[in-house]
Amino acid sequence: MLSNSAKPTLLRKILSTPTGAIGMALLTTVILLALFASVLFPEGPFEMVGAPFRPPFGEYLFGTDMLGRDIAAGIAYGARISLLVGAVATLVIVLLGTVVGGLAGYYGGWIDTAAMRVTEFFQTIPTFIGAIVIVAVLGPTLPNIIGAIAVVSWAPLARLVRAEVRSVKGREFVEACLSLGMGDMRILVVQILPNVLSTIVVAGSLMVATAILFEAGLSFLGLGDPNIMTWGFMIGAGRSAIRTAWWMVTIPGIAVLLTVLAINLIGDALNEALNPRAKR
Amino acid sequence: MNASKPILDVRGLRTEFRKSRKTWFPVVNDVDFHVSAGETLAIVGESGCGKSMLAHSLLQLLPKRISRLAAGDIWLEGRNIAKLSEEQMRAVRGKDISMVFQEPMTSLNPLMKVGQQIAESIIEHEGCSHDEARRRSVALMDLVGIPEPAVRAGQYPFELSGGMRQRIVIAIALACRPKVLIADEPTTALDVTIQAQVLELIDRLKTEIGMGVILITHDLGVVAEWAQRVMVMYAGRKVEEADVETFFSGPKHPYSAALLASVPRPDAIINGGRVEPLTEITGTVPPMDQLGPGCSFADRCERSADICLAQQPQIEMLSNGARVACLRAGENA
Amino acid sequence: MWFANAKYVLGRVLHGIPIILAIVVVNFFLIRLAPGDAAQVLAGESGAATAEYMRQIREQFGLDQPLWLQFVNYMKNLLVFDLGFSFRHNREISELIMDRLGATALLMGTSMVLSIGFGILLGAIAAVRDRTLLSHVIMILAIVTYATPLFWVGLMLIIVFALNLGWFPTSGIATIGAPVDGFEYAIDVAHHLVLPAIALSFFYMALYTRLMRASMLETLGQDFIKTARAKGLSSSNIVFRHALRNAIIPVLTMAGVQVSAMLGGSVIIESVFGWPGLGLLAYEALFSRDLNLLLGIFFLSSILVVLTNAIVDVIYTLVDPRIRLNGGRHA
Amino acid sequence: MSEHPLLTVRNLVKYHHTPNGRVHAVDHIDLDLHRGETLGLVGESGCGKSTLGRTLIRLHEPDSGEIIHHGTDITHLSRAQMRPFRRNLQIVFQDPFASLNPRRTIRQILSEPFSIHGVGSRIEQPSMVELLIAKVGLHPSFADRFPHELSGGQRQRIAIARAIALEPSTVICDEPVSALDVSVQAQIINLLRRLQDDIGVSYIFISHDLSVIGYLADRIAVMYLGEIVEIAPKAQLWNTPLHPYTQALFSAIAVPEPPSVARNNRVGIKGDIPSPINPPGGCRFRTRCPVAMPICSEASPKLLEAGGGAKVACHLVNGTNTVS
């Protein structure tokens, strides 16, 4: 719950660091690309627009693939999916992690023990293989992919929130609230969570990056939704032509790299802005 | 009063911190003092008065990137250590001047056996063999009153109590029989009964080794009981210096006087009846980077006059032997 | 002391047992969550499923029996490590997995050593040389690497070092037709290992570098470092004897947590480099829709994580006496 | 003192359960607190004084014993049943940096007691908050600041304001001046005394600092490893401390007097405080006691009347015939 007056200063703080400014610029570009994909490339990413295997920086900015599809169009439409998966998966992860971690950290006791056992389970299963199994069994649709990513990645966030909630709960202002007779939910939501928020925001921002990498990995292995153009799928498809058309794997890879980099940079800047002790 | 020649003689010491790229501000300003062998000098003041900065400056332990020794000399037995390079300074630290810190819980390496942490210092400065160093560290642990020193030497800090850890820190400091021991709030983190034990230990070893002790503290009771001379600091400057008897018989600087009067005295009440409110010092300590030209205590001082805001008072010797930096100290004190 | 140590590690291993049981349960129900007939799902959507195979599956999973009985049977089979039969490969799944385990262990082990080793080294350098050009270069490289998808790194390495420069082979674990034992074989495998191991360790090296730098900076700011300086120790002595060991602890913790993620990474890297380990097996299973095999791999890799975590715990006790002597990480 | 104690504690027990064992934080404690008095609770770390303070107002759940407030047994009340009693039982903590929520303004923090207990309407509350701020000696404009904009002393004033907002009958002061500088400490001590005169509140004042306790308290209870070893009116305790631990504690106080007038009869005590997880059997102080006798390791002494309103738990003082 950042107070209204803090919001513009937070943005300014992020932009004032070189990492934050670069990150913001990159991310804004990717967002604009995603927003205007259908304006820039009205024919869509699957349309064959010209001859196959055209190298980049010629007739087509990023060249064409083996079926003569415009790679630039794929990049633009792929941006939509990457951002969508990153955002929605993170939202689910943050919600799940905050609720489980918050309740476990606040109440302790058997709730905590049970919650920690469950998170331990989710941290032990090999996350990516777990996601592969889930998508393979349930079918490669976008909601399944997002769900799989969320299911295998929420546990670390829950543990982080739990640890933070526990430490804030041990502070004396919470005891002061208890001694005034304040209710549990009010203490947890109004008093404790705002103090944990900066941690959640920072961890969440990094989670977006991880989710994008996850999705790219899944669709690279052929577990993407076949009706959707994604960066991972493009790289996977380009593998067979790696000897002749290097750009087919290189360019979408750079797209993933820059997007993830942008989010990580913003995450670092957020961490510095919200968490001054991490500075120095 | 003390006839012997001082071991450590500090003149006009000024330590500055970086405010911005090019500007600096003083945290220790124009401080003079000296310590003789077998003597304890207490440096007193509230948090932020610069007493800890002063201690760290003597050993040049402040981070070089944000701080500097801007002026002054630190004479250690005729050698000016303020001008030494980092490499030369290393030979002084732990050998000629040692330091004991406030937090016994964090000032030892958690992953190293305590005996080894003592031996390390001996090996560094005297280049003796590991066996010899180990033997001497056990002897040192015995000296600082640790029971079963040979066993304890093989333990890790987390296995020892706070008082025991502080004894280890003292043993490290004394490993090479230093000429000067700086004790920076050595007992603040300890319980009262343990505090007395540790201070008693420092006092005993001071005589045994013949070193000078600089005791940095905020506790005036500790000063009265364990020091021979006292120096009061405020906003980075020395405001009063006197021997303990003189000082506690009636401090002359308005700040020292107010500080002493603000300490609760249970025995006085019990033996004298009515409970008077304690003396309060109004206002707050000014930030060190925003000091005006005059006396930095002026705006909190009951006796301040216009001149106090304009002119920096210099240290002057009063008739009772106290040295005080106050323009009005001589008037009606 | 040795006893306390062993007891602690044993405790950590036993701790993993309920987790493995939970994975068994999840495995069992996951198949039944799938849309449609479980046998159909297990057989895959391709028309390749013969009537014989379908019968086998129904028999193995006892799909016509009540759910609890199915579960009991499933558990019984797992206890003797019977993971079922893969018709695509025409072999027992447990045999298949065991065959591939060594290759994955080799890849993972090499990558872990590389990433932890270089991560600690680079992170420590960046911290000790804080605010210098060297530190900035290390940290910029780390943050870029940290954003790079594993499979893409693999493909780029192939393009540059295998296809263009021709220094390393593009895929496989050994040259076909070359000797299969002795020193020459080892060299051949090592030669094949270079690119996949680097590709897999890249991301984690960046992660550990960032973590190590932060941890080292924090350690260098602690009181006991000040004590060490006040003793007159040299800065190299302070860094090596005092700071490094303390700073490594959070990196080790993270390395333990990352084992499961790294296994996922090895699926990708193995499939990129055709490295015949568990990951490639999983990739093949995915392509042939051999779900039963996939679940077997999932189960085994979970056990692998539990075991690796136990190894990390042992290392942990060696580094930190507080755990060794108190028998708990939260002493 | 009135005949009906404000707070009566009988046989109170509170153990903390840690991975290393059971901490005997509060071990069978009896106490009475009278209206308008200040009861000092003094002891070293691990003696359980803070746990006792928190258990008294049910911030910790007692393991056994009873806490009677105004004739009502509040030991086993549910949280909802407990709420009305909380108006009368408040606490001020040691660390003024941790005791105020950094994300809330002073106004929000000080409104909490009023809104929880339905005191004043939304329209009245802002002026009530400002009045409260003035009461603890700050300017009402502090209301819209955040805690980090205040100094340690100012924060402690706000923490005190929160505790006295509902004019409680009892406030537990848990080391409220230990984290403050001497001059600020004096301000807070004076404030606490002034408020006591104004609203007639009783304090249980917890501290490790005997000078502060001696200055503020009417009666003093000395704790050691979870037990009260001596409790007496201040002057009585000060002039004739009976328990060897009290004597040692008193002689360890360093008094800011010239050396020529300061008393110099230090009773040093040896050794460390034993672990409260595994306290010594019999008398818990016997391992450090300069006058320990064989009986001390066999039976634990009871807290018995020793004349002059004092109660002591010591075989030497009580005589060996009191052994149970």
Side-chain angles (χ1 to χ4, degrees), chain D residues 246-282:
Chain D
T246 315
Q247 291 166 0
L249 213 51
F250 276 31
S251 82
I253 311 178
V255 194
E257 297 284 355
S260 56
V261 300
R263 77 226 136 76
N264 242 336
N265 51 344
R266 178 174 299 286
V267 185
I269 69 174
K270 293 183 294 287
D272 271 340
I273 306 166
S275 158
I277 288 173
N278 195 8

Side-chain angles (χ1 to χ4, degrees), chain D:
Chain D
M1 311 284 157
S2 82
E3 308 88 297
H4 304 293
L6 212 50
L7 203 58
T8 304
V9 175
R10 289 292 171 262
N11 234 354
L12 194 67
V13 175
K14 172 68 192 171
Y15 296 139
H16 292 304
H17 297 274
T18 71
N20 297 325
R22 204 170 63 168
V23 175
H24 295 241
V26 172
D27 216 349
H28 298 96
I29 284 206
D30 294 336
L31 266 187
D32 292 310
L33 178 70
H34 303 286
R35 191 176 295 279
E37 79 164 340
T38 299
L39 173 65
L41 218 53
V42 71
E44 297 178 283
S45 55
C47 75
K49 55 189 190 299
S50 281
T51 306
L52 174 59
R54 282 166 162 80
T55 312
L56 286 181
I57 59 168
R58 299 275 314 276
L59 278 179
H60 291 327
E61 288 306 311
D63 287 317
S64 67
E66 43 191 46
I67 308 163
I68 294 153
H69 171 69
H70 272 312
T72 313
D73 185 343
I74 61 165
T75 327
H76 304 290
L77 296 186
S78 71
R79 288 213 22 207
Q81 290 169 322
M82 191 61 204
R83 191 164 295 140
F85 292 93
R86 296 207 174 275
R87 290 186 68 151
N88 274 329
L89 300 171
Q90 280 301 306
I91 182 161
V92 177
F93 298 97
Q94 169 175 3
D95 184 355
F97 289 84
S99 66
L100 304 179
N101 188 340
R103 299 273 171 185
R104 295 178 77 73
T105 63
I106 303 304
R107 184 184 300 286
Q108 286 174 318
I109 290 169
L110 291 183
S111 302
E112 277 153 11
F114 298 133
S115 37
I116 290 170
H117 292 276
V119 177
S121 64
R122 279 192 169 277
I123 302 145
E124 292 163 321
Q125 279 179 8
S127 57
M128 290 164 67
V129 166
E130 280 159 28
L131 206 66
L132 196 56
I133 295 176
K135 221 178 198 169
V136 293
L138 293 177
H139 192 269
S141 66
F142 276 82
D144 296 307
R145 299 197 195 173
F146 281 93
H148 65 85
E149 298 171 84
L150 274 56
S151 72
Q154 288 166 342
R155 290 180 198 216
Q156 201 59 303
R157 286 175 192 268
I158 298 297
I160 291 171
R162 174 177 55 198
I164 60 149
L166 302 169
E167 308 210 337
S169 59
T170 305
V171 173
I172 314 280
C173 301
D174 187 4
E175 304 257 13
V177 298
S178 304
L180 305 174
D181 268 321
V182 197
S183 66
V184 183
Q185 176 178 312
Q187 297 171 7
I188 299 300
I189 289 174
N190 287 343
L191 173 67
L192 286 171
R193 286 193 48 207
R194 211 185 66 224
L195 290 171
Q196 188 164 43
D197 292 343
D198 288 355
I199 61 178
V201 60
S202 299
Y203 293 132
I204 291 186
F205 196 96
I206 299 166
S207 181
H208 68 279
D209 186 338
L210 265 170
S211 310
V212 173
I213 288 266
Y215 178 82
L216 269 172
D218 302 308
R219 283 190 305 140
I220 299 176
V222 181
M223 286 185 73
Y224 190 77
L225 289 177
E227 297 175 338
I228 291 180
V229 296
E230 181 164 4
I231 180 167
K234 173 168 64 180
Q236 167 88 6
L237 191 78
W238 200 267
N239 292 322
T240 48
L242 294 171
H243 197 283
Y245 178 63
T246 315
Q247 291 166 0
L249 213 51
F250 276 31
S251 82
I253 311 178
V255 194
E257 297 284 355
S260 56
V261 300
R263 77 226 136 76
N264 242 336
N265 51 344
R266 178 174 299 286
V267 185
I269 69 174
K270 293 183 294 287
D272 271 340
I273 306 166
S275 158
I277 288 173
N278 195 8
C283 172
R284 291 187 178 172
F285 185 59
R286 69 179 163 85
T287 53
R288 304 172 78 197
C289 184
V291 292
M293 307 175 292
I295 177 85
C296 301
S297 52
E298 287 156 21
S300 93
K302 289 184 165 178
L303 191 64
L304 296 175
E305 294 283 352
K311 285 184 181 177
V312 187
C314 174
H315 291 304
L316 189 68
V317 179
N318 298 342
T320 44
N321 56 338
T322 59
V323 176
S324 53

Side-chain angles (χ1 to χ4, degrees), chain C residues 31 51 63 108 129 133 138 141 149 156 165 179 199 220 223 227 239 244 255 270 275 277 279 285 287 293 314 329 331:
Chain C
I31 293 298
L63 289 177
M108 289 267 297
R129 297 263 173 275
L133 184 66
I138 291 176
L141 283 179
M156 290 300 113
L165 297 170
L220 286 172
D223 284 353
T227 309
V239 166
L244 211 54
E270 287 179 16
W275 185 265
F287 254 66
L293 176 57
V314 173
R329 201 170 286 195

Side-chain angles (χ1 to χ4, degrees), chain B residues 16-18 24 56-57 59-69 84-87 89 93, chain C residues 229:
Chain B
E16 294 181 334
F17 266 48
R18 193 188 281 279
W24 299 74
H56 284 73
S57 301
L59 277 180
Q60 297 182 29
L61 283 176
L62 294 170
K64 297 260 182 311
R65 195 162 46 76
I66 53 160
S67 71
R68 67 178 185 193
L69 236 171
L84 295 187
S85 69
E86 171 66 20
E87 197 58 26
M89 201 57 215
R93 293 184 197 133
Chain C
R229 288 189 64 207

Side-chain angles (χ1 to χ4, degrees), chain B residues 65, chain C residues 122-140 213 217:
Chain B
R65 195 162 46 76
Chain C
L122 293 173
I125 292 175
V128 172
R129 297 263 173 275
D130 192 26
R131 286 163 200 264
T132 62
L133 184 66
L134 180 62
S135 135
H136 287 308
V137 169
I138 291 176
M139 292 327 289
I140 288 171
R213 173 179 170 272
L217 281 178

Side-chain angles (χ1 to χ4, degrees), chain B residues 142-197:
Chain B
D142 190 38
L143 181 74
V144 297
I146 292 172
E148 297 180 274
V151 179
R152 296 275 170 180
Q155 293 190 316
Y156 291 94
F158 74 92
E159 299 173 80
L160 304 178
S161 70
M164 283 300 150
R165 291 189 209 190
Q166 197 62 309
R167 286 168 195 269
I168 298 287
V169 175
I170 292 172
I172 292 174
L174 299 182
C176 302
R177 304 179 83 84
K179 303 181 175 90
V180 179
L181 176 73
I182 305 171
D184 187 3
E185 304 264 10
T187 58
T188 308
L190 302 176
D191 278 312
V192 224
T193 54
I194 311 296
Q195 165 172 321
Q197 292 172 5

